[in-house]
Amino acid sequence: MKRNIFLSFILIGLLSISIQEAVAQKKERPKKPNIIMLISDDTGWGDLGIYGGGKGRGMATPNLDRLGNEGMQFWSFYGQPSCTPGRAAMQTGRIPNRSGMTTVAFQGQGGGLPAAEWTVASVLKKAGYKTYFCGKWHLGEDEYAMPIAHGYDKMEHVVLYHLNAYTYAFPSWNPDMTPEMTEFFKKVTTGVLEGEAGGKTREVEKVTEENIAELDMKMTDKALERLEEYAKGSEPFFMSINFAKNHQPNLPSKQFEGKSDARTKYADAVVEMDYNVGRIMDKVRELGIDENTFVIYTVDNGAWQDVHPDAGYTPFRGSKGNDREGGSRVPAIAWWPNQIEAGSDSHEIVGGLDLMATFASLAGIELPKQDRDGKAMIFDSIDMSNVLFKEGEPLRNKWFYFTETELSPGAVRYERWKAVFNTRGDNGAMAGSDMPGQELGWRGDQEYVATVPAIYNIWQDPQERYDLFMNSFTEKTWTLVIFNKAIQDLMKSYIDYPPRKLQSEVFTGPLTIERFRTLEKIKEYMDQKGVKLPELEPSKK
């Protein structure tokens, strides 16, 4: 008996020492840490080694794998279904239809991110951060829509479009284009930009057939220079570093041509992107600022299966451009030594939308209640700190999916359940299918269910194969009440906080005679009532 009591005291003592050591190892969280946001383009959920890709798919990713092994890997992290909305959501912390940034912008269209929107940079400026942007922007062309007009102190080596937009004016790519067409695209295609807050952007070089493959290498060179500069100062800094890789056409840098085991352009480009991530992380460690620097890596949208084989891989149903998991679920890694547990995982529902609230929390500031024009606004961003630091319950339990013109979501995830209303692309790019017709993928018709959605258990069926709504064995009709409530709450928010007008050209359906007559009747009724709508300045609203 005495021996058991003695052993118990020893065990209690050892446990106490272990707890003390664990507390000592986790240092007090620094206030206003440096923040580095690394974004790659179109990279597949299954491309990185820690997601089951990497060397096993002929494209080793040792640097991103190390980042994940030293930090937290996310398994249910969401972007948006395409580039522009994905980047807008990360920058603004708002679902894209609120800002009007719902679809991909092409050169020559002008416009862009409304001047009244807050960005992570403009919010962090309120906390005294130095702010820097480099790489792919893809949120418009006008001066009011540039990074330096949205809170960034400095922008370097910035490109405004998806990579293939630059190839339009390359004669070797489009020899069938008339000289007039070629000249048009040369004229409207902006090259590499730089600039400082308070000034105008400067075009420092054109994107040519000779330098397009080197864009990310040069951008990383610039980012490393700035990192060294900021590390010498006493102010916290925020860097948004955005790779043009891996958007098609994937054109690897010359030093990476044929360097992947797969020997494909896409795989070579993934290896290049991983190398550049490694260069940045090595510099952070070399400068000795790692314990005061929070790093997040993620992707704007799901893999673009329509352009296979020049595309990433996703094990999920669907592809870039639709409301299935394959369109929005993306890889993500968070890293902060001695703050985020090394080798940890998160299966909580989080996404690029949540970076705004998370960064504000880390910086110790509250999100604004009004936009930059002084009008009431709402954020959709939720602080991920509880998830990152394993401190209490996560704050998010649902996710809304939107394609280009959807105001009500085309799909909703609530905890383990997902309701799908828009089945666009279902006969196109699906995991395990033969190569689909392109018109059945992102370019396919938007098709909606008649009365009730398809319901999936995402835990048991992440590929959305088995509709459980009215299955005789596992009938889950009760879930509809939960989804309807979530959608009703969202729709009510549009009344108090109306979405901005669409900022890019997009097909919103045919203008039929009946629709035109309806618009005429509305105008006639408003004229009779003496209602006059205010004139909007289209370039900034």
Side-chain angles (χ1 to χ4, degrees):
M1 182 70 175
K2 290 182 179 179
R3 184 169 180 268
N4 289 339
I5 294 173
F6 179 70
L7 288 174
S8 298
F9 277 120
I10 291 176
L11 288 172
I12 291 170
L14 290 172
L15 180 61
S16 177
I17 292 171
S18 298
I19 292 171
Q20 289 174 8
E21 287 179 349
V23 171
Q25 285 175 0
K26 187 166 184 179
K27 298 181 180 179
E28 183 180 350
R29 192 173 307 151
K31 305 295 184 184
K32 297 185 180 180
N34 307 315
I35 300 172
I36 298 176
M37 182 166 73
L38 303 172
I39 308 297
S40 65
D41 199 0
D42 284 14
T43 309
W45 194 91
D47 288 343
L48 312 186
I50 57 171
Y51 283 91
K55 194 169 180 61
R57 296 196 56 242
M59 50 185 87
T61 55
N63 295 296
L64 283 162
D65 295 349
R66 179 183 176 185
L67 194 70
N69 290 329
E70 293 179 355
M72 176 176 284
Q73 180 180 1
F74 294 91
W75 297 91
S76 290
F77 195 99
Y78 291 93
Q80 300 292 323
S82 63
C83 302
T84 294
R87 292 165 190 276
M90 284 187 276
Q91 288 291 334
T92 67
R94 281 152 54 85
I95 53 179
N97 59 38
R98 294 198 195 277
S99 63
M101 305 298 292
T102 64
T103 190
V104 173
F106 288 83
Q107 63 263 54
Q109 292 184 334
L113 187 62
E117 287 288 324
W118 289 97
T119 66
V120 284
S122 55
V123 167
L124 289 174
K125 286 299 295 178
K126 294 164 69 71
Y129 275 69
K130 285 189 173 182
T131 53
Y132 175 81
F133 187 94
C134 62
K136 180 180 176 181
W137 179 238
H138 212 182
L139 295 177
E141 295 178 302
D142 283 352
E143 284 292 332
Y144 74 83
M146 292 294 103
I148 54 174
H150 278 282
Y152 287 97
D153 298 325
K154 190 174 186 64
M155 55 182 269
E156 287 186 300
H157 213 78
V158 170
V159 292
L160 299 184
Y161 322 110
H162 38 21
L163 275 184
N164 60 328
Y166 292 100
T167 69
Y168 298 163
F170 295 170
S172 64
W173 284 72
N174 296 295
D176 52 342
M177 200 179 272
T178 65
E180 291 78 15
M181 287 181 179
T182 302
E183 284 306 309
F184 167 76
F185 278 111
K186 284 183 178 179
K187 182 178 179 180
V188 300
T189 303
T190 304
V192 179
L193 298 174
E194 65 179 26
E196 296 78 32
K200 289 190 175 293
T201 55
R202 303 180 294 275
E203 186 178 65
V204 294
E205 65 176 319
K206 289 290 185 183
V207 177
T208 66
E209 292 179 87
E210 290 71 35
N211 68 16
I212 189 171
E214 307 302 324
L215 289 176
D216 279 0
M217 296 297 293
K218 292 181 178 179
M219 179 206 71
T220 306
D221 290 341
K222 292 288 186 181
L224 293 175
E225 290 177 13
R226 223 47 58 210
L227 192 51
E228 287 192 341
E229 175 193 330
Y230 293 156
K232 295 175 183 176
S234 58
E235 301 159 289
F237 62 82
F238 167 62
M239 301 180 74
S240 180
I241 302 173
N242 302 265
F243 302 101
K245 303 294 191 307
N246 303 96
H247 196 290
Q248 63 86 221
N250 278 279
L251 303 170
S253 168
K254 288 182 180 178
Q255 72 185 80
F256 285 93
E257 288 181 357
K259 288 300 193 296
S260 68
D261 291 341
R263 303 291 194 277
T264 66
K265 290 186 180 298
Y266 182 85
D268 291 348
V270 169
V271 171
E272 176 193 337
M273 187 269 292
D274 178 80
Y275 170 76
N276 282 324
V277 169
R279 292 170 69 195
I280 293 164
M281 295 308 302
D282 286 346
K283 181 61 69 174
V284 170
R285 298 180 184 102
E286 174 193 317
L287 292 169
I289 59 173
D290 47 334
E291 292 196 4
N292 194 38
T293 302
F294 172 79
V295 178
I296 182 89
Y297 162 81
T298 191
V299 183
D300 50 358
N301 51 254
W304 195 0
Q305 298 293 277
D306 290 346
V307 296
H308 178 83
D310 194 21
Y313 167 73
T314 177
F316 304 109
R317 186 172 186 172
S319 171
K320 177 180 180 178
N322 63 42
D323 290 319
R324 293 295 189 179
E325 290 296 285
S328 295
R329 203 187 290 206
V330 295
I333 301 165
W335 179 92
W336 191 358
N338 294 318
Q339 301 299 328
I340 294 175
E341 181 184 343
S344 56
D345 296 278
S346 172
H347 292 273
E348 305 298 340
I349 301 172
V350 287
L353 273 175
D354 298 327
L355 299 181
M356 171 67 90
T358 305
F359 293 170
S361 175
L362 295 178
I365 55 174
E366 293 186 359
L367 291 178
K369 299 292 192 297
Q370 298 176 323
D371 69 14
R372 295 169 77 188
D373 282 344
K375 297 178 181 176
M377 69 171 296
I378 188 174
F379 288 95
D380 302 288
S381 189
I382 294 179
D383 184 8
M384 299 190 317
S385 296
N386 288 6
V387 173
L388 292 170
F389 309 117
K390 297 187 175 181
E391 297 173 347
E393 294 298 315
L395 302 179
R396 180 187 287 286
N397 63 358
K398 56 181 173 288
W399 191 264
F400 297 110
Y401 306 69
F402 301 92
T403 54
E404 297 87 349
T405 60
E406 289 178 333
L407 196 58
S408 62
V412 182
R413 180 175 172 183
Y414 190 94
E415 296 178 351
R416 76 187 68 183
W417 307 102
K418 182 175 180 181
V420 177
F421 300 92
N422 181 3
T423 59
R424 173 193 196 172
D426 268 13
N427 294 318
M430 295 167 60
S433 69
D434 293 331
M435 178 60 183
Q438 289 184 341
E439 72 280 2
L440 300 176
W442 189 1
R443 298 191 306 178
D445 295 336
Q446 299 202 60
E447 299 180 359
Y448 290 88
V449 294
T451 305
V452 295
I455 300 291
Y456 302 92
N457 184 329
I458 292 297
W459 286 5
Q460 295 177 347
D461 177 26
Q463 290 183 320
E464 301 169 77
R465 290 178 173 175
Y466 307 103
D467 178 6
L468 301 176
F469 185 79
M470 223 167 271
N471 180 292
S472 60
F473 176 64
T474 57
E475 177 261 329
K476 300 294 181 185
T477 53
W478 59 266
T479 59
L480 188 59
V481 178
I482 295 174
F483 289 118
N484 284 346
K485 177 65 168 60
I487 294 170
Q488 285 172 8
D489 290 343
L490 173 67
M491 300 306 287
K492 286 177 184 176
S493 74
Y494 294 139
I495 298 173
D496 295 328
Y497 309 99
R500 303 186 194 279
K501 77 178 189 68
L502 296 182
Q503 300 296 312
S504 298
E505 295 176 12
V506 62
F507 180 64
T508 57
L511 181 58
T512 61
I513 294 174
E514 181 181 359
R515 188 177 176 190
F516 180 73
R517 297 301 182 204
T518 300
L519 292 172
E520 278 193 325
K521 287 180 180 178
I522 293 172
K523 184 177 182 301
E524 182 181 342
Y525 176 79
M526 293 179 72
D527 288 342
Q528 289 174 355
K529 295 294 183 180
V531 178
K532 183 175 176 60
L533 294 176
E535 292 294 326
L536 295 181
E537 188 178 345
S539 64
K540 293 189 178 182
K541 301 298 182 183

